[in-house]
Amino acid sequence: MKQGVGRAQLRKEAKMHSALALQIKCSVCLSDFTDPVTLSCEHSFCRKCITGHMQASLGPKACPECQSPYDEEDLKSSRILRNMTFTVREHLVELKMDESTPKEGKGSSKLSEMEGMLMCSEHDEKLKLFCETDQKLVCVICRDGDKHKGHVFKPVKEAAQINKGELKTALGFLAKENGQLDHMIQQQTTEITKTEDKSKTLSARISAQFEEMHQFLRQKEDEAKKQLEKEEKKVIEFMQNNQSVINRRFMENKEKEIILQSALEIEQPDHFLQWWNEKGYPMTKNMKQKADMTPSNIKYTSRVKDLTVLPDSLFLGPHETHLKFFMWKEMLGSIKPVPESLTLKNPGQSYLKVSPGGARIRQADRVTALYKDFNPGTVSEENFQTGQHYWEIEVGEKPDWTVGVKMGAAKSAESEILLHLKHSKGYVLTCDGKDTALNTRDKPQKIGLYLNCERKQVSFYNADNMSRLAQINYSSKKPCCLTLVPGLYLDGMNSDPLTVCSYEFNTDKR
């Protein structure tokens, strides 16, 4: 009888000592408090633990226990908790010393053993088993109860070894991904530097070109620089946002890596499994692609796959390659390059007339109204597959015309990018056979066409004031040529030609 009472008393004291020890443990490092601080939500942590959590967090800081928001000013030193930790630690040491005296005999060694084991709060028994179904520690009485009927159990040490193995796999996965993320951050930093360097180079080039044109073009120089600064800001902001996403993923993964690495250092299997139940299992479960995967076939959801490093994309269009001409065509003597000349093919079509030299095209005069809707055109003899090119086509007061680019020898609408002035619909942009109406109050006398083969981009400009009318990209790898259609005859009202403008100047003036 006394022996039974002794065991009960032993268990009671062990439980009390265990509960007392838990009161002075930090929930982050699972060790006794060191320099404890208390948040406004009244939860306490080691100063080093909560500071590390704060530095690893992205965005608003939240309490690890209750997720209440806090900031650095909320960290208040807790002298009472520090003193209590010291007192409880001294008290537990004294108890162990008392229990180690010879008069206690076997009972004291059992008490010491029980103090090191976690106890079931429901049955006051040692937690010797781990329920794999519920992923939690249980005692033998819990195992036989209805709550765990049909569940799979393993001894604590075996379960801890298995789950630590899974934790190592997850840790290895995180380490690999974090290496990739770190490399991507370095790459993105390089691309940002390239953009900044390119911006500085363009800025210097713009300044030099405007210097040649002296005070007359100072105002235009400032406008071009502002455009460059705006483009640089937009491009870098876009890449920095992308870098922020990569950095956020990296910090989140790094925080998980630190937590998992710290968990692997927990030596007591039951303490580790207690942490595993509360934090480890939910964390690793969320990392997996599918919840029903077997331990031998674990796959984790990558947080790198959907990320990419954005390359340098700073570009000023024709202002980068044809800046001087776009600024002041009056100063042709000091400007190079200028709009290029073209030679139009003579299609041998009786309804079309191409001028000698191939710079003009118009519909032939007609004596009847037959084929009034027939609208033929021609293309340039030159083809373009590299470089940047700019032309100007004089359209004058014509009420109907088409100017554009054709890719390859195909005759399908999908191989053309065209700008029309339709006498009944106004300005229309055609790409991939689809028409899009353009809203513009201007009626240009000249159309500027900028072809950038490197970026696969076609731009149309009002060449009278150099404002852009439309810009579109293409994907074809075939050579491009210009296509000109003088428009419907309209009973002779649209007989004026389309003319490819050429610019001659005295190079001695340069």
Side-chain angles (χ1 to χ4, degrees):
M1 183 69 177
K2 289 183 178 179
Q3 187 177 0
V5 173
R7 281 198 296 268
Q9 180 66 21
L10 199 64
R11 286 196 299 269
K12 184 177 181 181
E13 290 179 1
K15 183 177 180 181
M16 180 182 68
H17 296 161
S18 179
L20 191 60
L22 287 175
Q23 295 302 312
I24 62 170
K25 290 190 181 298
C26 170
S27 61
V28 175
C29 65
L30 302 180
S31 300
D32 292 351
F33 285 118
T34 302
D35 188 13
V37 293
T38 302
L39 305 183
S40 56
C41 60
E42 298 186 356
H43 287 113
S44 300
F45 308 92
C46 300
R47 182 181 294 276
K48 184 177 180 181
C49 292
I50 196 65
T51 302
H53 175 269
M54 184 167 54
Q55 292 174 348
S57 299
L58 295 174
K61 314 301 185 295
C63 171
E65 289 283 346
C66 65
Q67 301 303 310
S68 296
Y70 74 92
D71 53 35
E72 193 169 359
E73 295 179 356
D74 293 326
L75 273 60
K76 306 296 183 185
S77 295
S78 178
R79 183 171 56 86
I80 295 176
L81 187 56
R82 182 171 63 250
N83 293 340
M84 188 181 79
T85 301
F86 177 77
T87 302
V88 171
R89 190 184 293 122
E90 289 293 316
H91 175 64
L92 293 176
V93 170
E94 290 177 3
L95 286 176
K96 288 184 179 180
M97 291 177 64
D98 292 342
E99 290 160 6
S100 63
T101 58
K103 62 180 180 180
E104 292 293 335
K106 295 181 179 178
S108 62
S109 62
K110 289 183 178 180
L111 177 60
S112 178
E113 180 183 349
M114 291 182 67
E115 183 181 343
M117 291 288 293
L118 296 176
M119 305 296 289
C120 177
S121 59
E122 185 176 354
H123 302 111
D124 201 21
E125 290 286 339
K126 297 177 184 176
L127 297 173
K128 294 182 177 181
L129 299 173
F130 183 72
C131 176
E132 289 196 327
T133 306
D134 289 342
Q135 292 290 307
K136 65 182 295 185
L137 288 163
V138 296
C139 68
V140 291
I141 300 177
C142 292
R143 177 194 61 188
D144 299 331
D146 291 336
K147 290 183 180 179
H148 295 274
K149 188 175 182 179
H151 289 188
V152 178
F153 302 91
K154 274 190 168 39
V156 165
K157 289 185 178 180
E158 182 180 346
Q161 187 176 3
I162 292 172
N163 289 331
K164 278 195 175 184
E166 183 175 336
L167 206 61
K168 288 180 180 179
T169 303
L171 188 62
F173 173 79
L174 279 176
K176 181 180 179 181
E177 282 222 327
N178 287 338
Q180 293 175 321
L181 290 169
D182 183 54
H183 181 63
M184 291 176 74
I185 291 172
Q186 294 177 22
Q187 285 184 305
Q188 189 64 83
T189 300
T190 300
E191 293 300 324
I192 291 175
T193 302
K194 286 170 59 178
T195 300
E196 292 171 340
D197 291 344
K198 186 176 181 180
S199 176
K200 293 176 182 177
T201 301
L202 290 176
S203 181
R205 186 187 306 170
I206 290 171
S207 296
Q209 292 177 347
F210 273 98
E211 192 62 33
E212 292 178 13
M213 295 182 278
H214 300 293
Q215 298 298 328
F216 184 73
L217 290 180
R218 290 296 181 190
Q219 181 180 358
K220 292 292 182 179
E221 178 183 7
D222 292 338
E223 292 176 2
K225 282 190 173 182
K226 287 179 181 178
Q227 179 186 351
L228 172 62
E229 292 170 359
K230 182 179 179 181
E231 189 68 18
E232 177 191 359
K233 182 178 179 181
K234 181 177 70 175
V235 172
I236 291 181
E237 181 180 3
F238 191 62
M239 290 194 291
Q240 285 177 335
N241 289 338
N242 187 58
Q243 186 178 31
S244 295
V245 173
I246 298 172
N247 191 60
R248 184 166 58 252
R249 297 270 182 95
F250 175 74
M251 294 301 295
E252 290 171 355
N253 276 12
K254 199 66 181 176
E255 183 179 2
K256 290 180 182 178
E257 182 182 3
I258 292 171
I259 292 173
L260 297 185
Q261 184 65 57
S262 298
L264 285 177
E265 296 174 3
I266 300 174
E267 297 181 356
Q268 300 93 332
D270 50 351
H271 285 273
F272 168 78
L273 292 175
Q274 185 68 27
W275 173 89
W276 174 260
N277 168 249
E278 295 174 359
K279 297 181 180 179
Y281 177 70
M283 183 184 296
T284 55
K285 182 179 180 182
N286 289 335
M287 289 170 57
K288 297 176 184 177
Q289 291 183 359
K290 293 182 179 178
D292 58 350
M293 284 188 175
T294 61
S296 62
N297 187 28
I298 295 175
K299 291 185 178 179
Y300 294 94
T301 303
S302 174
R303 304 196 70 200
V304 176
K305 274 187 177 180
D306 61 332
L307 298 176
T308 184
V309 174
L310 299 178
D312 159 49
S313 60
L314 183 68
F315 186 65
L316 292 182
H319 288 165
E320 191 172 321
T321 55
H322 292 73
L323 174 68
K324 292 183 180 180
F325 179 77
F326 266 56
M327 294 299 102
W328 282 103
K329 291 192 293 185
E330 294 92 332
M331 301 183 70
L332 289 176
S334 62
I335 294 174
K336 186 179 181 179
V338 297
E340 302 171 30
S341 60
L342 279 177
T343 304
L344 301 176
K345 285 185 178 180
N346 191 335
Q349 170 62 251
S350 60
Y351 283 91
L352 284 178
K353 293 293 183 180
V354 177
S355 67
R360 295 184 179 184
I361 184 172
R362 69 178 182 88
Q363 285 230 28
D365 297 329
R366 304 184 188 183
V367 295
T368 68
L370 294 177
Y371 305 107
K372 64 179 182 178
D373 294 328
F374 185 47
N375 193 17
T378 188
V379 296
S380 63
E381 290 187 355
E382 299 88 351
N383 290 309
F384 307 91
Q385 199 167 10
T386 59
Q388 296 85 23
H389 310 275
Y390 178 75
W391 303 270
E392 287 190 350
I393 297 91
E394 185 174 357
V395 297
E397 297 292 337
K398 288 174 63 63
D400 195 284
W401 48 261
T402 297
V403 174
V405 174
K406 182 177 182 180
M407 290 77 179
K411 296 182 179 180
S412 65
E414 286 74 14
S415 63
E416 295 177 320
I417 298 175
L418 307 172
L419 177 66
H420 314 271
L421 173 60
K422 298 186 176 182
H423 73 286
S424 59
K425 296 183 179 179
Y427 292 95
V428 176
L429 179 69
T430 298
C431 181
D432 294 333
K434 298 178 182 178
D435 291 347
T436 303
L438 297 179
N439 295 322
T440 177
R441 296 180 180 179
D442 298 335
K443 188 176 181 182
Q445 301 292 298
K446 293 180 182 178
I447 297 297
L449 197 159
Y450 184 70
L451 172 64
N452 189 330
C453 299
E454 311 305 326
R455 289 180 175 266
K456 296 185 179 299
Q457 193 174 79
V458 177
S459 305
F460 297 95
Y461 290 84
N462 175 351
D464 297 331
N465 58 21
M466 307 316 297
S467 62
R468 191 172 67 192
L469 301 174
Q471 180 176 286
I472 198 159
N473 292 81
Y474 62 91
S475 58
S476 175
K477 297 181 180 180
K478 298 178 180 178
C480 301
C481 61
L482 264 64
T483 177
L484 302 181
V485 180
L488 297 171
Y489 187 61
L490 300 178
D491 297 326
M493 295 175 58
N494 192 32
S495 60
D496 290 342
L498 289 178
T499 304
V500 179
C501 300
S502 62
Y503 294 83
E504 296 179 0
F505 54 88
N506 186 356
T507 56
D508 294 337
K509 293 181 180 180
R510 294 182 61 83

